Amino acid sequence: MNVYETSKIRNVVFLGHGGAGKTTLAEAVAYATHTIGKMGSVESGNTISDFDPEEIKRKFSISASVIPVEWEGLKINILDAPGYFDFVGQMEDAMSVADAAVIVVNGKNGVEVGTVKAWEICERRNIPRLFFITNIDSADVDYNKIVDDLKAKFGKRVAPFHLPIMEDGKLTGYVNVVKMGGRKFIDDKGNYDERDIPPSLDPELGPIREQLMEAVAETDDELMDKYFGGEEFTTEEISTALRKKVIECGLFPVQMGSGINCQGVHSFLQACEKYFPSANKAEVLKKAVNTQTGEEVVADFDCNKPVSAYVFKTIMDPFVGKYSLVKVRTGILKVGDTVFNASKDVEEKLNKLYVIRGKNVIEVDKLYSGDIGAIGKLESTRTGDTLSTKEWPIKYHPTTMSKPYTYMRFSAAKKGEEDKVAQALNKLCIEDLTLKVVVDDENKQSLLYGIGEQQIEIAASKLDGRYKVNINLEKPKVAFRETIRKKVQVQGKHKKQSGGHGQYGDVVIEFEPSGDLSKAYEFDEKIFGGAVPKNYFPAVEKGIQESVKEGPLAGYPVVGIKATLIDGSYHPVDSSEMAFKTATIIAFKKGFLEASPVLLEPIAYLTVTAPDKFSGDIMGDLNKRRGRIMNMTAEEGKQIIEAEVPILELYGYSTSLRSITGGSGDFEYVVSKYEQAPGDVQARMVEENKK
């Protein structure tokens, strides 16, 4: 593959709802540019971007893939991002290196939740974008209605650059509104000839053309004067003004076509050249910090500066090895370079440099600023790291990733494979930063966190397919606590006689609620007359310390108790620290069960953000989960609902919220406090732990 300079590179991410046609459009672009000789399909499992066995089996994208194509002296790095919400981390990886976005809309389904989410992430990052409405060749698609829906949802800056030409119910071409010319498709590679504009489209064409001319006039005072003076703009004036508008996010073009039939692809490629910025002209510049001086550095994609590159994704291939996908942000990255990783404080040598296209790896000798490539077998480097020079050690701010809140308990299916499972899971977590393994020592369980249950289940399937290890997924245990509600006084005596020295310890302890659930226990003594010598007080406290680790009620940690040693007795020969510790443990168990013991359950402070219309259903669902609504705030057509909900009831919540809101709702939570669990919950937990 040729090496391209910065001005000739475009980095474009494909976004949209799951099933909108992103992968099919990417396949059509690869076919139209002769990158591949034959178009594959998602149904057949042979597309260039969905090559993972799990993607082929499930027929949707799971990972973000890079498809570089060459077209008329331009290199376009297409980043095909998953549309399903469980794999948002992969979409965030791709967005971190994109300079522009294409939001793909399925003509049959129109504006969907994934369309809105794609728009919102583009708005947050302020990157240029266009809409591509696919499946226009289907008879029941109403292009004008979809355009109206896009305008209603996203504002008047949405502007159609195309109008479809339908003949006998089939898409045969389109009107280029910018150039006011008709186009007729002539082959299966998206090529076209010029043709007349059908008179039947004149009523639709007038208002659309007028909107574009207004946008052109707004870019410059001279053009505004020309517009109000009734003068026509030149082709060059229109092209230059529209490019400026699109790059500044002042205009969002709408194009159309058919991914399956490779229609509209050439006009899309032309739009990438005309309206999308090259890397060195991108509006969104990334910031870094010089770790030596503390000075801020801005990536300006200057090839004359020392090299720096951001690692935006890691691929762990069980057969080929590890690849670190990078975007070069300054300088020129070359084979043989030694780069410095300031995050890990290590130097690594670049023995080989690649361009990755789907699953195919192509060697190159260098990459210019703005380009995307891959480095093989870097030992210490991970996603989010920066590679630079030791003389100019900088770190780019890593991409903010969505935090996983869904989790399941897992264990190795076969005994003895725990280490293999841990190593394989570590590789999956390196690939996807929204997967996380947490060891919960308190409940003696290992937890696998993800964005949703489907992501966790696919991770388990990958372990089997890639690494030949299996895990069992189960509902996790919840970290309850135990405490007491009343004051009691109990005696604990440990007396054991043997041939030599015996064992003797005798304590009288008062147990009561301390009122502070943040601490396990408080210990005090009120001994008079030396009933228990002072040198045994630490042994008594050790007995309390050991006892609170597992409560007598259900084996959960104990919190919020105060233990006061008030009396006891000792033997001058047989008493020992161990004997007093054992006597304390006996007293603790007896006293705890007499002091009205209760289970405390963890309470989450949950924040749900969703469109207004779902508020009633969300609150109804939270009530069923024993939730208490604490606050509601309206914000730009959405409601932010804050509630306290027991952690026990949040299992499966991501699936439930997605079902209620069609995927448009998001949530996050923190464990805020512990509260006494209802009687039925306590009884169930005690019974489960007995088993």
Side-chain angles (χ1 to χ4, degrees), residues 188-206:
D188 68 346
K189 279 189 165 61
N191 291 306
Y192 58 81
D193 279 340
E194 294 187 6
R195 59 155 292 171
D196 292 334
I197 299 173
S200 59
L201 292 178
D202 286 345
E204 301 169 33
L205 192 54

Side-chain angles (χ1 to χ4, degrees), residues 23 161 176 189 192 236-237 249 276 279 286 326 342 351 405 679:
T23 297
F161 280 28
N176 183 326
K189 279 189 165 61
Y192 58 81
E236 186 179 342
E237 285 173 336
C249 296
F276 283 166
K286 303 296 181 180
V326 300
N351 293 314
Y405 288 99

Side-chain angles (χ1 to χ4, degrees), residues 132-147:
F132 191 97
I133 304 174
T134 190
N135 288 334
I136 289 295
D137 51 319
S138 300
D140 55 346
V141 171
D142 188 339
Y143 175 79
N144 291 328
K145 182 182 183 305
I146 295 171
V147 171

Side-chain angles (χ1 to χ4, degrees), residues 338-349:
T338 297
V339 290
F340 180 67
N341 184 334
S343 300
K344 304 291 191 297
D345 194 26
V346 295
E347 285 188 302
E348 304 210 53
K349 181 143 187 195

